[in-house]
Amino acid sequence: MNVVKCFAALGLLLTLVACGSADRYAVTLPPVTETVRIAFRSVEVRDVSLPSYAAADEIHIRKNDGTLVSSTDTLWADAPERAVALEISESLSRLTGRAVASEPWPFDAYPDARLDLRFTELLATETGQFRATGQYFVAVSGGGRERSGLFDQSVSFDPKSGPAGIATARGQLIFQLAEFIATSGLK
């Protein structure tokens, strides 16, 4: 009788776990089609600052009335602040052919420059736009000219594509942002 109760309890537990699982969506970066020359041999991407909704695991969407909606059933595959920093690092590295890594810096020699990104918005809309706005800062080792600038980037996606389309759009948007920073802030 105890064995039957154990199997019944195990079956109930497995059912609850299966019902409570969420879908996770990974971001894929687009391929590099051309390279960008920058003024630095190495760049560290510091911790990325995201708004609280964008730093959450849930994928948020802005509705036409301005409200943000999300579901615990649709989550990013990785912690957004960590993921965006890695996506920017990988994009810059692939675009420039230079040593680019996110914080903490993995090499013995200090980087020539440090990139700090502060997002005011990183959000998909129900009308099919994924937008990133904010400011970047480039600190230069050895007393070089430090820089800063604003960014406002967006890409379109098909709203009917759901969370998978949003994840694809974020990959395109982050890559586009890396191109902008390479040409505007790292030259």
Side-chain angles (χ1 to χ4, degrees):
M1 188 71 147
N2 286 337
V3 172
V4 172
K5 287 182 181 178
C6 285
F7 280 118
L10 180 61
L12 178 61
L13 178 63
L14 291 174
T15 301
L16 289 173
V17 169
C19 291
S21 66
D23 293 328
R24 292 192 173 264
Y25 294 88
V27 173
T28 303
L29 297 169
V32 174
T33 57
E34 57 186 63
T35 58
V36 177
R37 292 181 50 86
I38 61 173
F40 307 103
R41 289 185 319 250
S42 57
V43 179
E44 177 185 29
V45 177
R46 306 284 304 241
D47 284 338
V48 171
S49 173
L50 297 176
S52 60
Y53 66 83
D57 285 342
E58 295 87 8
I59 297 174
H60 285 76
I61 299 170
R62 181 180 354 192
K63 297 181 65 88
N64 290 334
D65 66 4
T67 58
L68 302 182
V69 296
S70 66
S71 169
T72 56
D73 292 337
T74 54
L75 307 174
W76 294 114
D78 194 1
E81 287 177 331
R82 176 186 180 282
V84 169
L86 289 170
E87 292 159 14
I88 289 283
S89 300
E90 181 181 338
S91 295
L92 284 172
S93 180
R94 290 170 47 220
L95 281 165
T96 65
R98 302 299 179 135
V100 182
S102 61
E103 193 173 40
W105 185 247
F107 302 108
D108 286 336
Y110 291 110
D112 293 337
R114 292 183 319 277
L115 174 63
D116 189 344
L117 289 165
R118 299 177 188 177
F119 287 80
T120 53
E121 181 178 39
L122 183 62
L123 185 62
T125 66
E126 73 177 344
T127 59
Q129 290 292 310
F130 203 121
R131 187 167 178 223
T133 62
Q135 194 167 12
Y136 68 86
F137 304 89
V138 178
V140 180
S141 299
R145 182 180 67 87
E146 297 184 324
R147 306 131 195 219
S148 68
L150 300 173
F151 58 86
D152 186 348
Q153 303 285 312
S154 65
V155 297
S156 298
F157 69 95
D158 180 0
K160 294 176 186 166
S161 63
I166 292 171
T168 299
R170 189 179 99 183
Q172 293 169 341
L173 180 66
I174 295 299
F175 187 79
Q176 181 177 302
L177 177 59
E179 283 181 307
F180 173 76
I181 291 170
T183 58
S184 300
L186 297 175
K187 283 228 173 204

